[in-house]
Structures are given as structure tokens and as C-alpha cells.
Amino acid sequence: MPIHPTAADLSRQLADNVEAFCLRYLSNGHRNGRWWCVGDVFNSDGASMYVRLTGPNRGKGARGKWTDGATGEHGDLLDVIRLQNNEDWKAAVAEARAFLSLPQPPMQVRARPLPEARDTVESARRMLRYGRPVPGTVAAAYLRSRGLEHAIDQPSLRFHPRCLYRPSAKEPAGPDTYHPALLASITDLSGAVKAVGRTWLAPDGRDKAGVRDQRRTLGNQLGHGVRFPGTVPELMVAGEGVETVLSVQRVLPAVPHVAALSGAHLGALILPPGLRHLYIARDADPAGERGVAILRQRAEAAGIVVTALDPREDDFNTDLRHLGPRDLALLLAPQLDPNHAVAFLQFEGALAA
């Protein structure tokens, strides 16, 4: 090590010890394939921040780089120490030097080595190409069971008959398994595929598969979402899950909808130019509330009118299944701008009068 290493030197040396670093400074997280997942840079529980464990020592895809899906923040491992030290660079450099001077703990012997770095965006696109249309599949049965039969022909949804499920580090050791899955295409504003969402399903499609992580994404999800187009470009509905967003879309079919797939990624969603009014379909949980608050702040700073839509129960898909489409429309009607309710809200296919 140089006597006076630069910040770039320290960052590269920390990245060379990335897993030991995560075990020390981000110990509430866990390894998931090529990533270390944790709640945030302050070592909170959760999984919205992810640290790359493999890759080159610099440039695109470098190991040690991290992104927080909840805030959009990103950086290297020296930034983690800096933020944990209240942005005191002098203290961060001293801490990094102390860490690098210590004997590093031996790594546990892996049942399976870390995968080699690969282009996960291209992997997501390849998975979608392998998928097939939803009609007539287990995924169609799943959507019907959720009251979402109107979505079976949506082009952003596909079906994978035998999708690999690999247990994460937080699960008991076990073999890889294969399950049918609903695939959701995650795109940027131009429509380019950036990632794919996977929901593993039971063999008959009546529920999700009996695995710990029933949903995962592959690719570059940050800022992007699963899009369900509409004909009114100045309005948009955003929400977390595909099922939540499709439930609202059932009674607001003319309005574009986007699913961010998690509360953390809802907060980081990139909004389209020309958007004038954003409706955010809440999920009634703490992660959803944080995502709504962050997205609201960003949208209002851009001059966009924001209205949060509140479900009666835990989310709008539960409301749709328990109330039916007409009563869901009645629940939403007083929460919408009156002009939007009159023009776009549908009660079982008939425009609200």
C-alpha cells in the first residue's frame, strides 16, 4: 500500500476486499448471487441497497460499486465509510486505512462459487425472449385468480414455464428448483428493456410458488418500471406491484400505469416529460409509505401535481378481489380529480356519468 494512498487507491483496495468489507460494515445484509443486499448505507435491515461483489476493479460494472434503490444514491465502498462517519472525509480515510491494515477474516467455503460477472440487462432480455404469451398458460390462471383477467393480453407480461429459482444466502441450503413464472418487462421511458421481474407461481397458477423470495428482478431496475400504456399522456398512475397497478388500471384503462416492483424503486422512478398529474397507488406498509413520500417530493419539485390513492385494505388488488370492479371504482372516485373521474373512471366498462 502506498504511504499516502489517494481516495481512488483506497476505493480500489476496499473493492478488492468487498465481501469482507460487507461482513464488517454492512453486516445486516446478505449475499444474493453477485450482490450483497442490505437496507441502506447505514446497515439497516432490508434489501434496497445492493453492492456488486464481482466485476473489474474499475469502470462499468466494477466490484464494490453500490446503488440504493430507495434513494437513487450510489457510490463506492469509501463512500459507505464516509456516510457512516457523518461525511467526515478525514475520519473515513483513517477508518479505511485501519480496515485495510487488519488481517481479513477467512471467507466461508462456498457450496457454489460466485457467478462470473455478466451483462444482466442482456440476460433479462434473453429471458423475455424465451418467455411466451400469457393466454392459455399457468400465468393466465394466476391473473384470473387475482381478478386481473383483463391483463392477460398485456404485451409487457410473459410466461416462463420453467424458471430457475436459486436459494439466497438467507435461506437454508438447498438445491436449485424450477417453477412456472409470470415475467414482467421492465423498460425505460423509450421502451427499451432494462430488466425483468419474475413472480414464481404454483403449478396450477392459483397462488405463488412456495419459495421464500416469490418475486425477484434481473437487470438494471433502478428508475424503470413495468409499463401499461394508456391514451392520456399528461396523467399517470404509479405503484409498487404489478397486481396493485393492474387493479387500478382495470377501472382507469385510458390512463398510463407503471409498476416499480418495490417501495424502494417506487421512490426512484424516472417520470416522463410532459407529465402534469401523478397518481400514486399506495400499499399500506412502511416501505410503501417511504416510496410514496420520496416520489411525491421529487414529482412536486418538478411541478407535477401529486395525488396519493389509498386502498381500503392492504393494497388495491385485495380491494379488487373483495369489492369487485364497480365498488373499487366507487372507492377511487372521490380520490380522483373530479374531471378525471368523469372522463376516465369506468364502472364495469361504462364511463362514469
Side-chain angles (χ1 to χ4, degrees):
M1 183 188 302
I3 296 176
H4 298 293
T6 66
D9 293 330
L10 286 173
S11 293
R12 283 193 293 272
Q13 292 170 44
L14 291 171
D16 288 340
N17 297 278
V18 57
E19 194 162 354
F21 180 97
C22 291
L23 288 167
R24 180 179 176 87
Y25 294 99
L26 301 170
S27 57
N28 285 325
H30 65 281
R31 182 171 63 86
N32 188 353
R34 297 177 302 108
W35 304 94
W36 187 270
C37 301
V38 69
D40 57 32
V41 75
F42 302 106
N43 197 26
S44 302
D45 288 331
S48 64
M49 174 180 165
Y50 42 97
V51 184
R52 187 180 288 273
L53 297 176
T54 64
N57 62 8
R58 68 181 69 193
K60 183 178 179 181
R63 62 183 177 271
K65 296 294 186 180
W66 58 269
T67 300
D68 189 331
T71 65
E73 291 180 300
H74 56 87
D76 58 28
L77 299 181
L78 188 56
D79 290 318
V80 172
I81 298 178
R82 173 179 61 85
L83 291 166
Q84 290 187 358
N85 281 273
N86 298 313
E87 305 210 29
D88 184 333
W89 267 110
K90 185 175 180 180
V93 168
E95 175 67 23
R97 288 176 176 171
F99 169 77
L100 291 167
S101 70
L102 294 173
Q104 299 307 322
M107 295 296 99
Q108 296 179 350
V109 177
R110 304 183 194 282
R112 179 172 50 230
L114 283 171
E116 292 297 320
R118 69 187 191 280
D119 185 345
T120 56
V121 173
E122 182 51 40
S123 296
R125 291 170 178 166
R126 187 164 53 248
M127 181 175 289
L128 284 165
R129 288 195 296 269
Y130 181 83
R132 61 185 67 169
V134 169
T137 69
V138 169
Y142 173 74
L143 291 171
R144 287 192 187 94
S145 75
R146 311 292 294 192
L148 303 172
E149 55 272 10
H150 72 287
I152 288 174
D153 290 319
Q154 290 280 359
S156 55
L157 301 180
R158 306 278 287 174
F159 171 67
H160 194 304
R162 195 169 180 268
C163 190
L164 171 67
Y165 179 84
R166 178 163 288 162
S168 73
K170 286 196 170 182
E171 297 179 72
D176 296 347
T177 55
Y178 294 85
H179 309 270
L182 177 68
L183 305 181
S185 175
I186 300 169
T187 62
D188 64 13
L189 294 177
S190 73
V193 173
K194 294 297 184 180
V196 59
R198 297 160 290 175
T199 301
W200 281 276
L201 304 175
D204 62 2
R206 293 180 181 273
D207 204 346
K208 300 181 187 71
V211 293
R212 180 183 183 276
D213 298 328
Q214 296 172 320
R215 305 177 194 272
R216 288 180 183 166
T217 59
L218 173 69
N220 176 19
Q221 182 183 358
L222 187 66
H224 312 308
V226 184
R227 301 179 193 279
F228 303 102
T231 58
V232 192
E234 68 272 16
L235 305 181
M236 190 173 84
V237 175
E240 290 187 47
V242 167
E243 294 91 336
T244 289
V245 165
L246 286 174
S247 297
V248 179
Q249 190 214 31
R250 177 155 184 178
V251 296
L252 282 170
V255 178
H257 288 64
V258 60
L261 301 188
S262 75
H265 287 90
L266 180 63
L269 194 65
I270 298 171
L271 299 174
L275 183 64
R276 298 174 59 187
H277 197 135
L278 173 66
Y279 289 100
I280 308 177
R282 295 180 190 264
D283 280 4
D285 58 59
E289 291 298 325
R290 287 193 297 272
V292 169
I294 294 169
L295 184 58
R296 175 191 286 276
Q297 183 179 42
R298 291 178 48 239
E300 290 180 341
I304 299 168
V305 176
V306 178
T307 302
L309 304 176
D310 294 315
R312 190 183 75 169
E313 299 188 47
D314 59 331
D315 63 41
F316 282 107
N317 188 245
T318 302
D319 287 352
L320 174 63
R321 288 182 288 122
H322 291 177
L323 298 175
R326 180 175 179 81
D327 283 349
L328 176 61
L330 290 171
L331 174 69
L332 287 170
Q335 302 187 57
L336 300 175
D337 178 287
N339 292 325
H340 299 160
V342 169
F344 307 120
L345 192 60
Q346 290 193 358
F347 294 81
E348 289 289 4
L351 286 177

